[in-house]
Amino acid sequence: MSARRLRLGFLASGNGSSAEAIVDAIGAGELDAEARLLVSNKKDCAAFAWAAEKGVPFLCIPTVADPGGADARLAEALADAGVELIVLSGYLRRLGPQTLGRFAGRILNIHPGPLPRFGGEGMYGARVHQAVISAGVPESAIVVHGVDEIYDHGPELARRSVPVLPGDTAASLEARVKALEPGFFVETLRRVASGELRV
């Protein structure tokens, strides 16, 4: 497996904190990659502010009125930007068949709990952490995985364990996991770029 420069596209609905950390790592010379495009389904996406500051092209493609048309526009915009690998960073929409088909095997997401047990439709944010605590398991995990047409179903690429501490609440566990997610995504992409991990 040889090293290669990653050409990244990002999808975000909010702050896109993992995407911003990845762009910062590129700027610092810590990740051999290019940030080609950031796309959101929301016109007021908070990630657009840092994208403008850091020189990352960005675009809004609303999905509510015409999901099929939005899917086609998204796939075309990412392809036109030369994106080879898509990073989901808090993108709260299911991807459509055109984007999934055009970028099959080249879309990554990060999940804040152990998969497959604590994944699936409706399992996001505080719901994941509450489910982990309610299950009484000794540790949670952050998982970077491939994306397909089923929520949290694609192949696992990398995992980092996060211990569940005595007295943890969903909020305290969520805060600890969120603090680790951006750096772990950067680390995983670095391993992809170096050829250590294959997407």
Side-chain angles (χ1 to χ4, degrees):
M1 292 183 286
S2 59
R4 60 197 173 114
R5 171 164 287 185
L6 304 177
R7 299 192 302 273
L8 303 176
F10 304 96
L11 304 184
S13 295
N15 293 326
S17 54
S18 287
E20 184 176 14
I22 291 164
V23 171
D24 286 344
I26 294 170
E30 298 167 357
L31 176 63
D32 189 13
E34 301 169 12
R36 291 298 186 95
L37 182 66
L38 167 71
V39 181
S40 181
N41 58 314
K42 300 187 178 224
K43 291 180 181 177
D44 58 352
C45 177
F48 287 164
W50 62 253
E53 289 176 7
K54 299 173 195 292
V56 178
F58 58 91
L59 179 65
C60 176
I61 301 179
T63 55
V64 176
D66 180 13
D71 178 30
R73 288 194 298 277
L74 178 59
E76 197 66 29
L78 290 164
D80 287 349
V83 169
E84 67 163 6
L85 185 64
I86 300 173
V87 170
L88 303 189
S89 184
Y91 189 67
L92 303 179
R93 297 294 295 178
R94 190 196 298 268
L95 294 177
Q98 293 196 51
T99 302
L100 288 170
R102 196 158 186 171
F103 292 91
R106 296 184 289 136
I107 308 172
L108 298 180
N109 187 39
I110 192 164
H111 187 74
L115 293 177
R117 182 175 179 185
F118 298 99
E121 189 163 3
M123 287 295 283
Y124 58 88
R127 296 179 184 183
V128 176
H129 307 294
Q130 186 57 60
V132 167
I133 289 172
S134 297
V137 296
E139 64 180 29
S140 187
I142 306 167
V143 178
V144 175
H145 64 93
V147 174
D148 58 20
E149 69 279 3
I150 303 171
Y151 282 120
D152 305 324
H153 176 262
E156 182 174 313
L157 191 65
R159 172 182 294 236
R160 172 172 290 172
S161 296
V162 180
V164 177
L165 303 179
D168 253 342
T169 63
S172 64
L173 180 57
E174 181 175 36
R176 215 159 54 253
V177 167
K178 273 188 173 180
L180 294 172
E181 281 181 341
F184 183 56
F185 220 149
V186 170
E187 176 190 313
T188 301
L189 288 173
R190 194 181 295 123
R191 294 172 68 194
V192 172
S194 71
E196 181 185 343
L197 288 178
R198 174 166 288 179
V199 176

